[in-house]
Amino acid sequence: MTRASLDKQPHEVASMFDDVAEKYDLTNDVLSLGQSRLWRKEVAKAVNARPAEKVLDLAAGTATSSQPFAATGAYVVPCDFSLGMLREGKKRHPWMPFTAGDGTKLPFADEVFDAVTISFGLRNVHETDLALRELRRVTKPGGRIVICEFSHPTWAPFRTVYTEYLMRALPPTARAVSSNPEAYVYLAESIRAWPDQPALAARLQEAGWSKVAWRNLTGGIVALHRGVRD
């Protein structure tokens, strides 16, 4: 699978991430021009994890995204459907409770987590709306969701430049730093095909989340969506 127009079969997406696990974090830093670190900081602020809280970090990969939550004293569960990512993460953070799981059928009981979050993984889930409902199912009443995902730049001229970067500059850059550059062609196309900020907010509301809001990062290249479980 290399094109975003194809149906996102879970085993194919998982295999793609298995292939890029070892250099995934490095590649993201290079391709985002260092912005990925800023985005992680903003996610940590939005989640606002507190000591003894239970936080689910879905699509956590190697758990780089989980570290800021753990640093607050929260109990963090990094969950991913790529076994390659989980294995690489376990090498780096052997103390963390890595869990294999599909976002459309999470291996957790109802109302377990104080906060759930997913960064740059929702667009790769086979059934986005089902995943949003599953995340709500495992969240305690009053708990919160934070989604960090690529979105649509708000300034039209910049949006044009950004789209050109995704489709022309990203693949050759990925070939230089990634073990599976074809995976990044798929990722570029999946970003371009993803719903804009209001459309994702509407899907959150349809999945049962309340107090849904979003804010843009880096001119709308990325958006942080938030919601609360009643």
Side-chain angles (χ1 to χ4, degrees):
M1 180 185 66
T2 58
R3 301 194 65 82
S5 58
L6 294 180
D7 203 17
K8 292 177 287 192
Q9 296 301 320
H11 69 280
E12 293 176 320
V13 179
S15 176
M16 178 184 72
F17 280 103
D18 289 348
D19 289 344
V20 300
E22 185 176 354
K23 294 184 178 179
Y24 185 70
D25 295 319
L26 170 64
T27 305
N28 283 349
D29 276 346
V30 172
L31 295 179
S32 70
L33 307 178
Q35 291 293 296
S36 60
R37 299 185 183 196
L38 168 66
W39 299 334
R40 279 197 294 273
K41 289 180 181 178
E42 293 303 317
V43 171
K45 290 179 189 175
V47 172
N48 191 26
R50 295 182 281 276
E53 280 194 327
K54 292 178 181 173
V55 177
L56 172 63
D57 187 10
L58 184 59
T62 61
T64 298
S65 58
S66 306
Q67 301 313 302
F69 314 132
T72 69
Y75 179 78
V76 187
V77 178
C79 182
D80 204 288
F81 67 172
S82 165
L83 297 182
M85 284 285 194
L86 295 174
R87 279 192 290 267
E88 183 64 27
K90 198 67 175 176
K91 289 181 196 173
R92 302 180 190 182
H93 314 288
W95 53 277
M96 297 202 79
F98 285 89
T99 303
D102 184 333
T104 63
K105 188 184 284 188
L106 293 170
F108 307 109
D110 295 353
E111 302 180 3
V112 172
F113 296 99
D114 298 284
V116 295
T117 183
I118 179 169
S119 293
F120 308 111
L122 189 60
R123 73 184 188 286
N124 297 316
V125 177
H126 182 52
E127 296 179 69
T128 302
D129 298 320
L130 178 54
L132 292 174
R133 292 195 297 272
E134 268 291 275
L135 284 166
R136 184 180 181 277
R137 178 185 67 78
V138 302
T139 303
K140 296 177 182 178
R144 56 213 185 270
I145 186 172
V146 174
I147 298 169
C148 182
E149 188 54 87
F150 289 108
S151 198
H152 294 233
T154 53
W155 189 43
F158 177 56
R159 187 162 57 242
T160 301
V161 171
Y162 173 64
T163 301
E164 288 296 307
Y165 168 73
L166 279 178
M167 303 316 299
R168 296 191 180 186
L170 190 149
T173 304
R175 276 192 289 275
V177 297
S178 172
S179 54
N180 184 359
E182 290 77 15
Y184 286 87
V185 175
Y186 161 78
L187 290 173
E189 292 178 344
S190 71
I191 291 167
R192 192 168 62 169
W194 185 245
D196 66 10
Q197 293 88 324
L200 181 55
R203 293 173 83 162
L204 271 162
Q205 291 170 328
E206 289 166 6
W209 293 95
S210 65
K211 300 179 182 176
V212 173
W214 77 85
R215 66 185 180 92
N216 294 314
L217 303 177
T218 319
I221 287 178
V222 166
L224 279 183
H225 283 71
R226 302 177 67 174
V228 175
R229 189 200 197 283
D230 291 333

